[in-house]
Amino acid sequence: MKNLVILGAGTAGTMMANHLNHHLKQPEWQITIIDEREAHHYQPGYLFLPFDIYSPEDIVKTIEEFIPKNVELIKSKIDRISPNENKIELAGGKELPYDILIIATGAKIAPEETEGMKGSEWQKSVFDFYSFEGSLALRNKLREWEGGKLVVHITEMPIKCPVAPLEFAFLADSFFKHKNMRDKVEITYVTPLSGAFTKPKATEALEHLLEEKNINIESDFAIERVDNENKEIVDYGGKVIPFDLLVTVPTNKGDELLERSGMGDDLNYVPTNKATLQSKGYENVFVLGDASNIPASKAGSVAHFEAEILTENILRFIHGEPLKEEFDGHANCFIETGNSKALLIDFNYTHEPVEGTFPFPGLGPLRLLKESRMNHMGKLAFRWIYWNMLLKGTHIPFVSATMSESGKHYDKKTTNQSTLINQL
Amino acid sequence: METIINGFSITVNEEGYLTDFSQWNEQVAEKLATDASIELTPRHWEVLKYLQDEHMKQAALSIRRIGKSGVVDIKEFYQLFPVAPLKTATKICGIPKPASCI
Ligand SMILES: Cc1cc2nc3c(=O)[nH]c(=O)nc-3n(C[C@H](O)[C@H](O)[C@H](O)COP(=O)(O)OP(=O)(O)OC[C@H]3O[C@@H](n4cnc5c(N)ncnc54)[C@H](O)[C@@H]3O)c2cc1C
């Protein structure tokens, strides 16, 4: 019997267990999945929890519910991978051999990377919403906060769901409006990027929305430290931004497991072929979801597209066939903009988000890069789709793993409308 | 697009980054630095050379990586290139603007 072992039973690992369960059958194959947690969290819900839009019960379920019964689930911390010996070691010392390994251990916050972030003000006036505990503590704070300077901040890229901090700022605007206290709150969005987002067309649309909602933006801010005493964030260039309430997205890193195993880069992400999802170091090790270093969004939708392609590649690998270089970085994200509206963006490695309709060219019903209520309904429906379709590996009708260009308004002009460097 | 920098004919993209590293030389760098109000000292050159070497090794450049390089710490990097240091320094040394992943 051969062993396929999946590390991590979060979004990506669970989807792979469900996909592969259809193809790799006992007694020839045993699939095993390992996670140290009891619960599966719907992380996109961490964005809504602070505003009392979702409650903890909406976003936490048991891991078991989503793992097919022929797949063995081991609840244990994974201590290390020995990729040269094709085995992994669990925290108690137990060893497990594998023929094929899938790494899906995700990414998590590392506030300790920034001086003073986890200081005396942590969870008093300095919060994160990228962890369940952080998001819940922030909810309790927001229930009683009386206003002042709210600073929404990104420490460094890459982060999971790179639009979530912007959504947080939009939802905060809407939240305080409904509480009739928007005039008591000054909102500032602080980013290490040069603008609201990394892609030009989306940046334009999003900066327009920030302005409309009276949210200040501070860009190119590379944080050096949090000053707990004076309640300020300070950047390496000496820029200082005061806060009464800081909602920060700390540095995101892969799990220390990868550092212990000597398989991660400087942020513990695993070097991975961006088209095949095979690890660069070992041909029988594959990586998907937030754990890899590929230049795609760290998002559940990306993991979903990856899972379809990786399933095929693992079957090809088993049959000794060449891997398909098919993954194109496809991402599809709803962006909550407050007041029950949302934007939708759809993009990949080479195509930035543009306007248009989705998923049916010319029809929609969802509109790309434009605020609408339908998009907001889409975002809320995403939670249902996540629990009932995504995790189970059900293909979502009409949405393909690789991006479609139809129905989208790409610039026909060839690029490079260059500005002139002053000539000497 | 084509432009002339210090008498050299150079191709740059819409943000002013060289599109062909083989067209880069020290005089071009001097001019690009002047445009960014920076006077290049030997210390600047050490950092620029490091960035070029890393780029040739196809390493993804980030402020974090530079801070850990042992060549320069982040504080000094900011002193050398005060405004958006990574973007400015990569432009001056003729390599592409680092893509911050999304
Ligand atoms: C605030 C927020 C909002 C988001 N919004 C969206 C959105 O709107 N749309 C979207 O598509 N995506 C969104 N995301 C991103 C999405 O949640 C992640 O991209 C997705 O969950 C990644 O799946 P994964 O399987 O790679 O990692 P995870 O789901 O994080 O799973 C990793 C698993 O590995 C386990 N693990 C790690 N290390 C070990 C170890 N050493 N031993 C044992 N177990 C281990 C963990 O316990 C965990 O269960 C959001 C994320 C956040 C934080």
Side-chain angles (χ1 to χ4, degrees):
Chain A
M1 184 158 72
K2 291 189 170 171
N3 291 304
L4 181 140
V5 176
I6 304 173
L7 306 184
T11 313
T14 301
M15 290 189 300
M16 286 312 293
N18 282 295
H19 276 300
L20 290 170
N21 185 46
H22 296 303
H23 301 282
L24 305 181
K25 304 278 185 199
Q26 287 165 343
E28 209 184 331
W29 281 94
Q30 172 63 49
I31 304 175
T32 304
I33 188 165
I34 311 170
D35 203 298
E36 61 189 330
R37 293 204 202 176
E38 287 298 323
H40 185 120
H41 288 200
Y42 174 62
Q43 296 175 40
Y46 296 169
L47 171 67
F48 297 100
L49 186 57
F51 302 108
D52 269 319
I53 300 173
Y54 287 164
S55 62
E57 305 78 70
D58 294 328
I59 61 178
V60 181
K61 296 189 189 259
T62 63
I63 287 186
E64 280 88 344
E65 280 178 68
F66 303 97
I67 305 297
K69 63 176 187 317
N70 289 333
V71 172
E72 188 190 6
L73 168 65
I74 300 179
K75 285 188 184 166
S76 164
K77 185 179 155 115
I78 306 148
D79 187 43
R80 74 177 64 233
I81 307 165
S82 304
N84 293 318
E85 295 153 62
N86 295 322
K87 64 174 197 199
I88 62 153
E89 198 175 306
L90 303 181
K94 189 179 172 220
E95 289 185 353
L96 259 105
Y98 63 80
D99 295 284
I100 294 177
L101 184 70
I102 297 175
I103 301 176
T105 42
K108 58 185 181 184
I109 58 164
E112 64 282 356
E113 290 281 330
T114 306
E115 186 190 330
M117 192 172 278
K118 233 178 163 174
S120 56
E121 287 297 314
W122 182 249
Q123 297 200 347
K124 291 201 181 87
S125 63
V126 178
F127 291 85
D128 83 279
F129 67 98
Y130 265 52
S131 63
F132 181 72
E133 300 71 30
S135 174
L136 196 62
L138 181 55
R139 178 196 72 178
N140 297 340
K141 175 78 179 183
L142 285 179
R143 281 179 177 175
E144 59 185 39
W145 194 52
E146 289 176 352
K149 291 184 167 62
L150 168 64
V151 172
V152 182
H153 167 252
I154 302 176
T155 301
E156 64 181 307
M157 302 300 282
I159 58 171
K160 302 197 245 198
C161 195
V163 291
L166 265 172
E167 297 181 276
F168 187 92
F170 293 144
L171 287 173
D173 166 69
S174 180
F175 176 79
F176 294 121
K177 270 186 192 141
H178 283 123
K179 282 183 105 178
N180 281 324
M181 56 180 284
R182 182 63 180 90
D183 55 334
K184 297 204 184 77
V185 182
E186 185 186 317
I187 308 178
T188 307
Y189 183 75
V190 184
T191 168
L193 302 172
S194 328
F197 198 56
T198 48
K199 314 263 168 173
K201 286 256 164 47
T203 298
E204 219 173 276
L206 292 165
E207 286 183 352
H208 180 72
L209 281 173
L210 285 170
E211 204 180 304
E212 207 175 277
K213 295 173 196 296
N214 202 10
I215 298 169
N216 312 315
I217 174 164
E218 286 278 356
S219 45
D220 285 318
F221 188 93
I223 190 168
E224 182 187 5
R225 62 196 165 88
V226 178
D227 181 338
N228 288 274
E229 215 163 291
N230 298 313
K231 290 203 179 180
E232 296 169 339
I233 49 174
V234 182
D235 100 327
Y236 283 103
K239 224 187 301 171
V240 170
I241 297 172
F243 64 82
D244 295 303
L245 180 57
L246 174 66
V247 176
T248 184
V249 179
T251 301
N252 283 198
K253 286 177 88 171
D255 197 80
E256 296 84 5
L257 155 73
L258 298 156
E259 193 178 345
R260 291 195 293 272
S261 310
M263 293 174 79
D265 64 12
D266 54 351
L267 285 169
N268 299 342
Y269 296 125
V270 186
T272 304
N273 180 312
K274 69 176 189 175
T276 64
L277 306 176
Q278 188 176 42
S279 76
K280 288 197 174 155
Y282 307 90
E283 63 165 13
N284 62 341
V285 178
F286 298 84
V287 193
L288 85 167
D290 298 347
S292 89
N293 79 334
I294 64 169
S297 273
K298 294 195 182 299
S301 67
V302 174
H304 165 74
F305 298 134
E306 287 174 337
E308 294 191 359
I309 286 164
L310 183 55
T311 300
E312 200 181 328
N313 268 347
I314 285 188
L315 298 178
R316 287 173 164 260
F317 180 77
I318 289 171
H319 297 129
E321 292 162 17
L323 303 184
K324 259 196 174 165
E325 298 194 356
E326 191 168 82
F327 189 61
D328 65 354
H330 188 189
N332 178 284
C333 306
F334 290 101
I335 307 178
E336 274 296 299
T337 54
N339 289 318
S340 305
K341 289 189 184 168
L343 296 175
L344 176 63
I345 56 177
D346 196 58
F347 57 101
N348 67 10
Y349 289 139
T350 50
H351 288 67
E352 62 163 318
V354 292
E355 290 175 11
T357 47
F358 186 87
F360 303 108
L363 292 174
L366 303 175
R367 299 190 66 191
L368 296 168
L369 253 190
K370 282 256 196 288
E371 258 190 310
S372 80
R373 276 181 200 275
M374 191 62 139
N375 289 339
H376 169 69
M377 299 317 289
K379 175 102 184 182
L380 296 187
F382 188 64
R383 181 166 60 100
W384 189 90
I385 292 176
Y386 184 88
W387 291 125
N388 295 288
M389 295 177 79
L390 272 189
L391 289 181
K392 296 180 179 149
T394 311
H395 180 78
I396 299 187
F398 318 119
V399 180
S400 67
T402 50
M403 199 195 73
S404 156
E405 287 180 35
S406 53
K408 294 181 182 159
H409 307 170
Y410 290 109
D411 230 341
K412 291 284 182 295
K413 281 177 296 179
T414 35
T415 46
N416 289 3
Q417 289 294 330
S418 316
T419 50
L420 280 163
I421 286 195
N422 290 337
Q423 299 191 353
L424 248 192
Chain B
M1 56 154 290
E2 293 284 315
T3 182
I4 310 285
I5 299 177
N6 257 1
F8 297 94
S9 176
I10 303 289
T11 314
V12 296
N13 69 10
E14 66 270 31
E15 292 180 299
Y17 287 80
L18 268 65
T19 51
D20 177 3
F21 182 69
S22 69
Q23 297 179 332
W24 181 89
N25 61 42
E26 297 193 352
Q27 286 104 301
V28 169
E30 294 282 359
K31 170 67 173 105
L32 291 169
T34 313
D35 289 345
S37 311
I38 291 168
E39 197 178 320
L40 295 178
T41 65
R43 210 42 204 132
H44 286 95
W45 282 112
E46 280 173 46
V47 175
L48 295 176
K49 284 274 180 295
Y50 163 75
L51 293 176
Q52 289 177 337
D53 289 347
E54 286 298 288
H55 175 66
M56 299 308 154
K57 284 191 257 164
Q58 299 193 334
L61 290 168
S62 66
I63 297 256
R64 152 182 295 270
R65 205 183 162 91
I66 288 160
K68 289 192 172 168
S69 65
V71 176
V72 61
D73 63 24
I74 302 178
K75 202 90 202 162
E76 190 189 0
F77 191 42
Y78 266 81
Q79 283 158 6
L80 296 170
F81 305 93
V83 184
L86 191 53
K87 283 172 219 147
T88 310
T90 47
K91 187 185 279 188
I92 294 173
C93 67
I95 63 179
K97 177 172 158 183
S100 34
C101 297
I102 102 136

